[in-house]
Amino acid sequence: MGIKDLLKELRSITVTRHLSEYKGCRVGVDVMCWMHQGIHRCITKLIQGEETDEYVRYIMEFIKLLTDYGLKPLIVLDGKKLLAKRERNMERKADRDESKILAQEALGRGEYELAHSLFKKSIGVTSKMISKVLVELKKQRVEYIVAPYEADAQLAYLSINRLVDLVITQDSDAIVYGCSKTLFKLNKETATGDEIMRRNMGDAKGCDGRRLYANWTDDQFKLFACLAGSDYQSKLPNMGIKTAYKFAKDNKTYDGICQALRQSRFKQDATEEYLVGLKEAWLTFKHQLVYDQRDKCLRHLTPVASEMMHEVNASFLGNFR
């Protein structure tokens, strides 16, 4: 989930925090991360088609952990599927379908361990599972929002506009979207996690001690993330995170990066289709549609410049209707 190896690149500005340090804070929670973990906790029952709500209990255990330490959770769930993510969603569904077929074949051969492993890969989050979670959240009077599209973008909107003090997630996309303060890898046993503050990005250092993102613009960082490969745009063959970093560092803007790619060893794969996809991925991280609780309306994650309005009205960012 998120940009591969990005959290490793930010180790120098990552601080271990205990939940007690956030007492009184309102926290936005990407509950889909806990949902996936909870599913694996009861994977055998799900494989066998048994009714279970263990994943719901798993989520509620985390929520209780937050409230026990005096935090005020706001649970955020994914909404409709975003057109920008259509290709990746189709790939994931195809992978799950293939895993199910291979699992049944392994089961037929008596390879039970392999079958179980493959069945695990075939289980995804269903609308029925989400409904069970929502019922329990309502029952326990836990505040929640179903985002119009991606929970990550909704959490970033809440964070940027100071409607939450902290975001809890497992997904490094939170950094790319612009969350101000994010806690990753929350451990239920130790009540600790890894905090990254967006304002410290300029202080992140590489192995040689140099500051990686000093004087970078937000657009430059988002473009770097898109080049490294995101849910909205697959990376070019042989384009690792360090090469993506160099292109963004040296060329800075979308137009500059496109020109450099056309003149590089990636020119054969950097087709116009890829470059359009790169732009759409960048704009998705910047202007995806979110819900504003205060005005009870949809709006873009960040304000759109007038000269860009014709581009961001495209349906890949979501639909106002």
Side-chain angles (χ1 to χ4, degrees), residues 210 212-217 220-221 223-224 227 241-261 263-264:
R210 287 186 302 172
L212 294 172
Y213 309 108
N215 302 315
W216 277 40
T217 65
Q220 192 175 2
F221 185 77
L223 284 163
F224 150 64
L227 281 170
I241 194 168
K242 296 193 183 300
T243 305
Y245 171 82
K246 189 174 188 315
F247 269 94
K249 180 177 182 294
D250 293 345
N251 303 290
K252 297 178 173 60
T253 65
Y254 171 75
D255 289 338
I257 289 169
C258 287
Q259 183 176 352
L261 286 172
Q263 297 170 356
S264 72

mmCIF file of all heavy atoms in Angstrom, residues 210 212-217 220-221 223-224 227 241-261 263-264:
data_model
loop_
_atom_site.group_PDB
_atom_site.id
_atom_site.type_symbol
_atom_site.label_atom_id
_atom_site.label_comp_id
_atom_site.label_asym_id
_atom_site.label_seq_id
_atom_site.Cartn_x
_atom_site.Cartn_y
_atom_site.Cartn_z
ATOM 1 N N ARG A 210 23.023 14.090 3.406
ATOM 2 C CA ARG A 210 22.458 15.240 2.696
ATOM 3 C C ARG A 210 20.952 15.297 2.883
ATOM 4 O O ARG A 210 20.290 14.271 2.971
ATOM 5 C CB ARG A 210 22.777 15.143 1.192
ATOM 6 C CG ARG A 210 24.234 15.438 0.850
ATOM 7 C CD ARG A 210 24.441 15.457 -0.659
ATOM 8 N NE ARG A 210 24.038 14.191 -1.266
ATOM 9 C CZ ARG A 210 23.971 13.979 -2.587
ATOM 10 N NH1 ARG A 210 24.254 14.954 -3.417
ATOM 11 N NH2 ARG A 210 23.602 12.804 -3.039
ATOM 12 N N LEU A 212 17.392 15.404 1.765
ATOM 13 C CA LEU A 212 16.821 14.874 0.531
ATOM 14 C C LEU A 212 15.851 15.838 -0.148
ATOM 15 O O LEU A 212 15.860 15.974 -1.374
ATOM 16 C CB LEU A 212 16.083 13.560 0.830
ATOM 17 C CG LEU A 212 16.950 12.386 1.291
ATOM 18 C CD1 LEU A 212 16.067 11.226 1.733
ATOM 19 C CD2 LEU A 212 17.878 11.944 0.171
ATOM 20 N N TYR A 213 14.991 16.486 0.648
ATOM 21 C CA TYR A 213 13.906 17.260 0.050
ATOM 22 C C TYR A 213 13.974 18.752 0.405
ATOM 23 O O TYR A 213 12.956 19.442 0.365
ATOM 24 C CB TYR A 213 12.550 16.684 0.485
ATOM 25 C CG TYR A 213 12.454 15.189 0.270
ATOM 26 C CD1 TYR A 213 12.479 14.311 1.359
ATOM 27 C CD2 TYR A 213 12.380 14.641 -1.011
ATOM 28 C CE1 TYR A 213 12.409 12.946 1.174
ATOM 29 C CE2 TYR A 213 12.319 13.278 -1.187
ATOM 30 C CZ TYR A 213 12.340 12.425 -0.099
ATOM 31 O OH TYR A 213 12.277 11.065 -0.293
ATOM 32 N N ALA A 214 15.152 19.229 0.729
ATOM 33 C CA ALA A 214 15.310 20.645 1.074
ATOM 34 C C ALA A 214 14.910 21.521 -0.107
ATOM 35 O O ALA A 214 15.347 21.289 -1.242
ATOM 36 C CB ALA A 214 16.753 20.928 1.475
ATOM 37 N N ASN A 215 14.032 22.486 0.155
ATOM 38 C CA ASN A 215 13.574 23.461 -0.849
ATOM 39 C C ASN A 215 12.717 22.849 -1.962
ATOM 40 O O ASN A 215 12.503 23.480 -3.000
ATOM 41 C CB ASN A 215 14.774 24.203 -1.474
ATOM 42 C CG ASN A 215 15.608 24.914 -0.428
ATOM 43 O OD1 ASN A 215 15.068 25.573 0.452
ATOM 44 N ND2 ASN A 215 16.925 24.754 -0.506
ATOM 45 N N TRP A 216 12.221 21.630 -1.747
ATOM 46 C CA TRP A 216 11.304 21.027 -2.717
ATOM 47 C C TRP A 216 9.921 21.658 -2.572
ATOM 48 O O TRP A 216 9.491 22.012 -1.472
ATOM 49 C CB TRP A 216 11.193 19.528 -2.480
ATOM 50 C CG TRP A 216 12.288 18.709 -3.091
ATOM 51 C CD1 TRP A 216 13.608 19.019 -3.143
ATOM 52 C CD2 TRP A 216 12.147 17.429 -3.717
ATOM 53 N NE1 TRP A 216 14.310 18.009 -3.753
ATOM 54 C CE2 TRP A 216 13.437 17.024 -4.112
ATOM 55 C CE3 TRP A 216 11.073 16.592 -3.957
ATOM 56 C CZ2 TRP A 216 13.677 15.815 -4.760
ATOM 57 C CZ3 TRP A 216 11.300 15.375 -4.596
ATOM 58 C CH2 TRP A 216 12.590 14.995 -4.996
ATOM 59 N N THR A 217 9.218 21.747 -3.693
ATOM 60 C CA THR A 217 7.816 22.168 -3.642
ATOM 61 C C THR A 217 6.944 20.936 -3.391
ATOM 62 O O THR A 217 7.380 19.794 -3.578
ATOM 63 C CB THR A 217 7.383 22.816 -4.958
ATOM 64 O OG1 THR A 217 7.423 21.821 -6.003
ATOM 65 C CG2 THR A 217 8.298 23.985 -5.331
ATOM 66 N N GLN A 220 6.542 19.029 -6.570
ATOM 67 C CA GLN A 220 7.747 18.269 -6.880
ATOM 68 C C GLN A 220 7.752 16.935 -6.130
ATOM 69 O O GLN A 220 8.065 15.886 -6.706
ATOM 70 C CB GLN A 220 8.976 19.091 -6.476
ATOM 71 C CG GLN A 220 10.306 18.568 -6.977
ATOM 72 C CD GLN A 220 11.443 19.524 -6.636
ATOM 73 O OE1 GLN A 220 11.234 20.566 -5.993
ATOM 74 N NE2 GLN A 220 12.648 19.197 -7.035
ATOM 75 N N PHE A 221 7.361 16.969 -4.861
ATOM 76 C CA PHE A 221 7.325 15.738 -4.070
ATOM 77 C C PHE A 221 6.249 14.788 -4.585
ATOM 78 O O PHE A 221 6.465 13.575 -4.683
ATOM 79 C CB PHE A 221 7.083 16.062 -2.597
ATOM 80 C CG PHE A 221 7.154 14.851 -1.711
ATOM 81 C CD1 PHE A 221 8.373 14.309 -1.354
ATOM 82 C CD2 PHE A 221 5.992 14.237 -1.257
ATOM 83 C CE1 PHE A 221 8.441 13.172 -0.551
ATOM 84 C CE2 PHE A 221 6.054 13.109 -0.460
ATOM 85 C CZ PHE A 221 7.281 12.573 -0.104
ATOM 86 N N LEU A 223 5.106 14.591 -7.637
ATOM 87 C CA LEU A 223 5.570 14.038 -8.917
ATOM 88 C C LEU A 223 6.610 12.939 -8.699
ATOM 89 O O LEU A 223 6.609 11.922 -9.395
ATOM 90 C CB LEU A 223 6.151 15.167 -9.782
ATOM 91 C CG LEU A 223 5.109 16.083 -10.424
ATOM 92 C CD1 LEU A 223 5.749 17.388 -10.899
ATOM 93 C CD2 LEU A 223 4.417 15.383 -11.597
ATOM 94 N N PHE A 224 7.484 13.148 -7.728
ATOM 95 C CA PHE A 224 8.472 12.122 -7.364
ATOM 96 C C PHE A 224 7.759 10.829 -6.967
ATOM 97 O O PHE A 224 8.111 9.735 -7.424
ATOM 98 C CB PHE A 224 9.352 12.651 -6.235
ATOM 99 C CG PHE A 224 9.888 11.602 -5.312
ATOM 100 C CD1 PHE A 224 10.765 10.623 -5.758
ATOM 101 C CD2 PHE A 224 9.525 11.589 -3.968
ATOM 102 C CE1 PHE A 224 11.260 9.646 -4.894
ATOM 103 C CE2 PHE A 224 10.007 10.633 -3.099
ATOM 104 C CZ PHE A 224 10.871 9.652 -3.561
ATOM 105 N N LEU A 227 6.249 9.108 -10.005
ATOM 106 C CA LEU A 227 7.287 8.454 -10.810
ATOM 107 C C LEU A 227 7.722 7.137 -10.175
ATOM 108 O O LEU A 227 8.018 6.164 -10.875
ATOM 109 C CB LEU A 227 8.509 9.372 -10.943
ATOM 110 C CG LEU A 227 8.434 10.512 -11.956
ATOM 111 C CD1 LEU A 227 9.621 11.451 -11.764
ATOM 112 C CD2 LEU A 227 8.416 9.972 -13.383
ATOM 113 N N ILE A 241 12.875 3.921 -6.788
ATOM 114 C CA ILE A 241 12.602 5.142 -6.040
ATOM 115 C C ILE A 241 13.771 6.129 -6.115
ATOM 116 O O ILE A 241 13.568 7.342 -6.147
ATOM 117 C CB ILE A 241 12.237 4.820 -4.562
ATOM 118 C CG1 ILE A 241 11.620 6.055 -3.889
ATOM 119 C CG2 ILE A 241 13.437 4.268 -3.799
ATOM 120 C CD1 ILE A 241 10.976 5.761 -2.559
ATOM 121 N N LYS A 242 14.993 5.632 -6.185
ATOM 122 C CA LYS A 242 16.155 6.522 -6.244
ATOM 123 C C LYS A 242 16.256 7.212 -7.605
ATOM 124 O O LYS A 242 16.610 8.393 -7.685
ATOM 125 C CB LYS A 242 17.438 5.752 -5.925
ATOM 126 C CG LYS A 242 17.448 5.201 -4.493
ATOM 127 C CD LYS A 242 18.807 4.718 -4.084
ATOM 128 C CE LYS A 242 18.755 4.114 -2.678
ATOM 129 N NZ LYS A 242 18.297 5.090 -1.672
ATOM 130 N N THR A 243 15.915 6.494 -8.673
ATOM 131 C CA THR A 243 15.914 7.111 -10.005
ATOM 132 C C THR A 243 14.779 8.119 -10.110
ATOM 133 O O THR A 243 14.956 9.215 -10.668
ATOM 134 C CB THR A 243 15.761 6.037 -11.099
ATOM 135 O OG1 THR A 243 16.782 5.051 -10.937
ATOM 136 C CG2 THR A 243 15.882 6.653 -12.488
ATOM 137 N N ALA A 244 13.627 7.786 -9.571
ATOM 138 C CA ALA A 244 12.495 8.716 -9.554
ATOM 139 C C ALA A 244 12.877 9.989 -8.801
ATOM 140 O O ALA A 244 12.551 11.110 -9.226
ATOM 141 C CB ALA A 244 11.282 8.058 -8.906
ATOM 142 N N TYR A 245 13.587 9.807 -7.689
ATOM 143 C CA TYR A 245 14.040 10.955 -6.891
ATOM 144 C C TYR A 245 14.931 11.868 -7.724
ATOM 145 O O TYR A 245 14.781 13.096 -7.698
ATOM 146 C CB TYR A 245 14.808 10.454 -5.666
ATOM 147 C CG TYR A 245 15.510 11.541 -4.898
ATOM 148 C CD1 TYR A 245 14.829 12.320 -3.966
ATOM 149 C CD2 TYR A 245 16.859 11.815 -5.116
ATOM 150 C CE1 TYR A 245 15.469 13.333 -3.271
ATOM 151 C CE2 TYR A 245 17.511 12.819 -4.433
ATOM 152 C CZ TYR A 245 16.815 13.573 -3.506
ATOM 153 O OH TYR A 245 17.461 14.586 -2.827
ATOM 154 N N LYS A 246 15.869 11.276 -8.472
ATOM 155 C CA LYS A 246 16.802 12.085 -9.268
ATOM 156 C C LYS A 246 16.076 12.883 -10.354
ATOM 157 O O LYS A 246 16.362 14.068 -10.571
ATOM 158 C CB LYS A 246 17.870 11.193 -9.904
ATOM 159 C CG LYS A 246 19.003 11.978 -10.574
ATOM 160 C CD LYS A 246 20.102 11.070 -11.056
ATOM 161 C CE LYS A 246 21.313 11.863 -11.533
ATOM 162 N NZ LYS A 246 21.014 13.013 -12.382
ATOM 163 N N PHE A 247 15.095 12.250 -11.007
ATOM 164 C CA PHE A 247 14.334 12.965 -12.041
ATOM 165 C C PHE A 247 13.578 14.146 -11.437
ATOM 166 O O PHE A 247 13.547 15.239 -12.005
ATOM 167 C CB PHE A 247 13.362 12.021 -12.747
ATOM 168 C CG PHE A 247 13.927 11.350 -13.958
ATOM 169 C CD1 PHE A 247 14.508 10.096 -13.877
ATOM 170 C CD2 PHE A 247 13.899 11.988 -15.194
ATOM 171 C CE1 PHE A 247 15.047 9.484 -14.997
ATOM 172 C CE2 PHE A 247 14.436 11.384 -16.327
ATOM 173 C CZ PHE A 247 15.021 10.119 -16.222
ATOM 174 N N ALA A 248 12.967 13.928 -10.276
ATOM 175 C CA ALA A 248 12.207 15.009 -9.642
ATOM 176 C C ALA A 248 13.135 16.095 -9.110
ATOM 177 O O ALA A 248 12.833 17.290 -9.211
ATOM 178 C CB ALA A 248 11.357 14.444 -8.508
ATOM 179 N N LYS A 249 14.258 15.704 -8.556
ATOM 180 C CA LYS A 249 15.213 16.675 -7.999
ATOM 181 C C LYS A 249 15.800 17.564 -9.087
ATOM 182 O O LYS A 249 15.898 18.789 -8.932
ATOM 183 C CB LYS A 249 16.340 15.933 -7.278
ATOM 184 C CG LYS A 249 17.399 16.843 -6.642
ATOM 185 C CD LYS A 249 18.417 16.000 -5.891
ATOM 186 C CE LYS A 249 19.449 16.891 -5.202
ATOM 187 N NZ LYS A 249 20.292 17.630 -6.170
ATOM 188 N N ASP A 250 16.165 16.944 -10.206
ATOM 189 C CA ASP A 250 16.850 17.699 -11.266
ATOM 190 C C ASP A 250 15.886 18.500 -12.136
ATOM 191 O O ASP A 250 16.271 19.543 -12.677
ATOM 192 C CB ASP A 250 17.645 16.736 -12.159
ATOM 193 C CG ASP A 250 18.814 16.093 -11.424
ATOM 194 O OD1 ASP A 250 19.174 16.588 -10.334
ATOM 195 O OD2 ASP A 250 19.345 15.082 -11.923
ATOM 196 N N ASN A 251 14.654 18.042 -12.278
ATOM 197 C CA ASN A 251 13.749 18.635 -13.271
ATOM 198 C C ASN A 251 12.538 19.368 -12.674
ATOM 199 O O ASN A 251 11.884 20.146 -13.375
ATOM 200 C CB ASN A 251 13.290 17.556 -14.250
ATOM 201 C CG ASN A 251 14.469 16.877 -14.936
ATOM 202 O OD1 ASN A 251 15.142 17.478 -15.765
ATOM 203 N ND2 ASN A 251 14.753 15.646 -14.558
ATOM 204 N N LYS A 252 12.207 19.072 -11.447
ATOM 205 C CA LYS A 252 11.299 19.863 -10.594
ATOM 206 C C LYS A 252 9.826 19.926 -11.000
ATOM 207 O O LYS A 252 8.942 19.749 -10.183
ATOM 208 C CB LYS A 252 11.824 21.292 -10.435
ATOM 209 C CG LYS A 252 13.169 21.363 -9.733
ATOM 210 C CD LYS A 252 13.658 22.790 -9.635
ATOM 211 C CE LYS A 252 14.913 22.871 -8.781
ATOM 212 N NZ LYS A 252 16.040 22.069 -9.324
ATOM 213 N N THR A 253 9.505 20.211 -12.249
ATOM 214 C CA THR A 253 8.118 20.396 -12.666
ATOM 215 C C THR A 253 7.657 19.257 -13.572
ATOM 216 O O THR A 253 8.477 18.487 -14.091
ATOM 217 C CB THR A 253 7.945 21.711 -13.446
ATOM 218 O OG1 THR A 253 8.685 21.627 -14.675
ATOM 219 C CG2 THR A 253 8.431 22.904 -12.621
ATOM 220 N N TYR A 254 6.337 19.174 -13.766
ATOM 221 C CA TYR A 254 5.801 18.149 -14.652
ATOM 222 C C TYR A 254 6.384 18.287 -16.058
ATOM 223 O O TYR A 254 6.856 17.304 -16.644
ATOM 224 C CB TYR A 254 4.276 18.238 -14.709
ATOM 225 C CG TYR A 254 3.661 17.362 -15.773
ATOM 226 C CD1 TYR A 254 3.569 15.989 -15.597
ATOM 227 C CD2 TYR A 254 3.192 17.915 -16.973
ATOM 228 C CE1 TYR A 254 3.034 15.174 -16.582
ATOM 229 C CE2 TYR A 254 2.644 17.106 -17.960
ATOM 230 C CZ TYR A 254 2.575 15.730 -17.754
ATOM 231 O OH TYR A 254 2.042 14.930 -18.738
ATOM 232 N N ASP A 255 6.367 19.484 -16.607
ATOM 233 C CA ASP A 255 6.896 19.694 -17.972
ATOM 234 C C ASP A 255 8.375 19.363 -18.040
ATOM 235 O O ASP A 255 8.841 18.754 -19.015
ATOM 236 C CB ASP A 255 6.659 21.143 -18.403
ATOM 237 C CG ASP A 255 5.187 21.442 -18.684
ATOM 238 O OD1 ASP A 255 4.429 20.490 -18.954
ATOM 239 O OD2 ASP A 255 4.792 22.619 -18.611
ATOM 240 N N GLY A 256 9.128 19.755 -17.008
ATOM 241 C CA GLY A 256 10.564 19.472 -16.996
ATOM 242 C C GLY A 256 10.841 17.984 -16.934
ATOM 243 O O GLY A 256 11.739 17.466 -17.621
ATOM 244 N N ILE A 257 10.075 17.270 -16.125
ATOM 245 C CA ILE A 257 10.243 15.817 -15.998
ATOM 246 C C ILE A 257 9.890 15.123 -17.309
ATOM 247 O O ILE A 257 10.603 14.210 -17.754
ATOM 248 C CB ILE A 257 9.384 15.284 -14.840
ATOM 249 C CG1 ILE A 257 9.979 15.725 -13.497
ATOM 250 C CG2 ILE A 257 9.259 13.755 -14.894
ATOM 251 C CD1 ILE A 257 9.091 15.475 -12.298
ATOM 252 N N CYS A 258 8.809 15.555 -17.962
ATOM 253 C CA CYS A 258 8.410 14.953 -19.244
ATOM 254 C C CYS A 258 9.514 15.128 -20.287
ATOM 255 O O CYS A 258 9.852 14.184 -21.020
ATOM 256 C CB CYS A 258 7.115 15.586 -19.743
ATOM 257 S SG CYS A 258 5.653 15.089 -18.815
ATOM 258 N N GLN A 259 10.062 16.329 -20.345
ATOM 259 C CA GLN A 259 11.129 16.600 -21.323
ATOM 260 C C GLN A 259 12.344 15.720 -21.039
ATOM 261 O O GLN A 259 12.953 15.157 -21.966
ATOM 262 C CB GLN A 259 11.527 18.073 -21.263
ATOM 263 C CG GLN A 259 12.575 18.464 -22.305
ATOM 264 C CD GLN A 259 12.868 19.955 -22.285
ATOM 265 O OE1 GLN A 259 12.198 20.718 -21.617
ATOM 266 N NE2 GLN A 259 13.890 20.359 -23.026
ATOM 267 N N ALA A 260 12.702 15.580 -19.770
ATOM 268 C CA ALA A 260 13.859 14.763 -19.402
ATOM 269 C C ALA A 260 13.615 13.286 -19.717
ATOM 270 O O ALA A 260 14.521 12.589 -20.202
ATOM 271 C CB ALA A 260 14.158 14.947 -17.919
ATOM 272 N N LEU A 261 12.407 12.793 -19.454
ATOM 273 C CA LEU A 261 12.095 11.395 -19.747
ATOM 274 C C LEU A 261 12.192 11.100 -21.239
ATOM 275 O O LEU A 261 12.676 10.043 -21.649
ATOM 276 C CB LEU A 261 10.687 11.047 -19.242
ATOM 277 C CG LEU A 261 10.509 10.889 -17.730
ATOM 278 C CD1 LEU A 261 9.036 10.749 -17.375
ATOM 279 C CD2 LEU A 261 11.292 9.680 -17.214
ATOM 280 N N GLN A 263 14.150 12.313 -23.292
ATOM 281 C CA GLN A 263 15.542 12.326 -23.734
ATOM 282 C C GLN A 263 16.409 11.332 -22.978
ATOM 283 O O GLN A 263 17.628 11.325 -23.121
ATOM 284 C CB GLN A 263 16.119 13.743 -23.547
ATOM 285 C CG GLN A 263 15.418 14.801 -24.390
ATOM 286 C CD GLN A 263 15.824 16.222 -24.020
ATOM 287 O OE1 GLN A 263 16.583 16.438 -23.074
ATOM 288 N NE2 GLN A 263 15.332 17.191 -24.775
ATOM 289 N N SER A 264 15.761 10.472 -22.188
ATOM 290 C CA SER A 264 16.507 9.551 -21.329
ATOM 291 C C SER A 264 16.433 8.118 -21.844
ATOM 292 O O SER A 264 15.811 7.846 -22.873
ATOM 293 C CB SER A 264 15.919 9.607 -19.912
ATOM 294 O OG SER A 264 14.641 8.970 -19.904
#
